[in-house]
Every structure is written in structure tokens, then in C-alpha cells.
Amino acid sequence: MQWRSFFRLLSSCFFQVPDDYVSKWWNGTFFRFLRYISMLLTVALPSIYIAIVSNHFEVLPIDLVFSLKASLENIPFDPLIEALFMIIVLELLREAALRL
């Protein structure tokens, strides 16, 4: 029961913007759906990348595994630290673009 109320609060605060109510209903619904998909991808893709690079090489083609292993050989960070660094840099770039 608590998760439903948390999801409703989250969806009403972060995924519904006043522009959804001003524009036509299908535009507002499409952009809200796009926000949900973007949030799910933002949460899922870094964890999938870390899981594949760290543990599950067998799901990748062998040529891609060799090139990925060769490119990761010179990086001194774990995949988790690399993904966190990538997220931080992208957030800094996004903030810089907003401030220009």
C-alpha cells in the first residue's frame, strides 16, 4: 500500500508538468510517457552495462568481447566507478548547458 502512494507522489511531482495541461492531451500524454521511459532507461542502462562488463561476457559476441576487454585494459577504474563518473560528467554538462 505504501509503494502505491509513493509512486503516485513521485509521478505527480516529477512527471507531470504544467505544459502537459496547456497543450493538447495526446501531446501531453506522449511527453509524459517519454519521461517515464527516459527514467526507466536512466535507471536500468548503467546497471545493465556494469553487469555485462563485470560478469556476463557470454551474452556479447566474441569480437565485441575482445575489443571491449582491450579497451578496458588501460582504464584504472572498475566499471562501477566508470559508470558513476560518466553520470556525474553528463550531469555537469547538462547543468552547464542550462546555465549558458
Side-chain angles (χ1 to χ4, degrees), residues 17-77:
V17 295
D19 291 340
D20 292 343
Y21 300 110
V22 175
S23 62
K24 293 185 167 50
W25 71 271
W26 59 80
N27 287 342
T29 304
F30 172 73
F31 286 123
R32 189 177 308 138
F33 180 72
L34 195 62
R35 280 185 225 113
Y36 281 121
I37 296 297
S38 300
M39 190 269 310
L40 288 174
L41 287 176
T42 303
V43 171
L45 283 182
S47 59
I48 291 171
Y49 169 74
I50 291 170
I52 288 176
V53 169
S54 298
N55 302 323
H56 303 289
F57 280 112
E58 63 270 4
V59 298
L60 299 173
I62 196 71
D63 295 334
L64 183 62
V65 170
F66 287 143
S67 66
L68 187 64
K69 203 61 165 163
S71 68
L72 289 176
E73 199 170 280
N74 298 328
I75 299 175
F77 302 115

